[in-house]
Amino acid sequence: AQSVTQLGSHVSVSEGALVLLRCNYSSSVPPYLFWYVQYPNQGLQLLLKYTSAATLVKGINGFEAEFKKSETSFHLTKPSAHMSDAAEYFCAVSDRYNAGNMLTFGGGTRLMVKP
Amino acid sequence: NAGVTQTPKFQVLKTGQSMTLQCAQDMNHNSMYWYRQDPGMGLRLIYYSASEGTTDKGEVPNGYNVSRLNKREFSLRLESAAPSQTSVYFCASEGNYGYTFGSGTRLTVV
C-alpha cells in the first residue's frame, strides 16, 4: 500500500527565506507524486506533479520539487518565501487504477511566514 | 465557473441523525471521490466512483454510503451520524490534468 510521510506538521520561515517542506513516500510501483496547497476555508489546489518525466518539477507560484528515487523523497522548495505562501501543504502519492488515480495524502504541513 | 460544487458548506447534526452531502461537477469527468480531512491526518479516501453507476470503498468507508446516479453528481450519505464523523468533507473529480476539489463541507456531530 502507498503511504506518505510529511516531516514537520508546522514550519515557520521569515519572509524572503528558503522554504523547504519534506515529503517521503512508500510505493510498490513507480509513483506519481503531487503537492497540493490549501488556503483557509478552501479546497486543495494542485501546485505540481511528478509523473516519471523530469525529476525536477516546477510548479505554480515559484515552487518546485525534486523526485529522488534513492531517498524515496519529493521535497518541496521555494527560494524566497512570500507572506501569501502561508497555507497548509499536502504531499500525495497516486495509486493508479483503470479509471484514474486514487491519492493517498500525507498529514500536511502548515507553513507560517513571518514578516 | 467550471468546477466542483458542494452543498451544504456547514452543517450541525445530532448523534443519530442522517444527512446527504451533495457534490456536482460540470467538467464531464468520469472519476469522482469523497475524502474527509482531519487535523494531522491529511485527507483520507471514503469512497470513489470510476464512472456513472459504479462505486468502490476507499480507506475509511464505515458509516457512509454513496450514490453516483449520473455523471455529474456523487452524493455521500451518513445514515446515523456519530461524533467521530465530525470532519471536513471534500469532493473531487479527476480529469486529464488531475483533481479538482470542491470547497468542502464542514460537518459537526454533537
Side-chain angles (χ1 to χ4, degrees), chain B residues 1-108:
Chain B
N1 292 336
V4 177
T5 302
Q6 290 185 236
T7 55
K9 293 190 183 301
F10 301 94
Q11 183 71 49
V12 178
L13 289 179
K14 294 182 179 179
T15 298
Q17 287 186 316
S18 63
M19 79 161 294
T20 299
L21 282 65
Q22 304 289 351
C23 174
Q25 53 95 4
D26 58 5
M27 296 169 286
N28 203 35
H29 290 166
N30 286 317
S31 301
M32 297 184 72
Y33 306 84
W34 274 105
Y35 285 86
R36 60 176 289 172
Q37 182 180 22
D38 302 291
M41 304 185 74
L43 281 76
R44 291 179 293 167
L45 182 64
I46 305 172
Y47 271 93
Y48 67 100
S49 170
S51 62
E52 177 181 345
T54 68
T55 61
D56 285 287
K57 295 178 180 179
E59 180 186 355
V60 288
N62 291 345
Y64 305 95
N65 286 301
V66 290
S67 177
R68 182 86 182 271
L69 295 177
N70 55 58
K71 195 170 187 179
R72 288 188 67 248
E73 298 171 297
F74 186 37
S75 60
L76 179 71
R77 183 162 178 83
L78 287 71
E79 291 291 351
S80 179
S84 61
Q85 295 178 304
T86 293
S87 187
V88 181
Y89 291 85
F90 287 99
C91 177
S93 69
E94 182 181 12
N96 292 336
Y97 298 101
Y99 280 39
T100 300
F101 283 87
S103 57
T105 296
R106 186 173 296 274
L107 175 67
T108 302

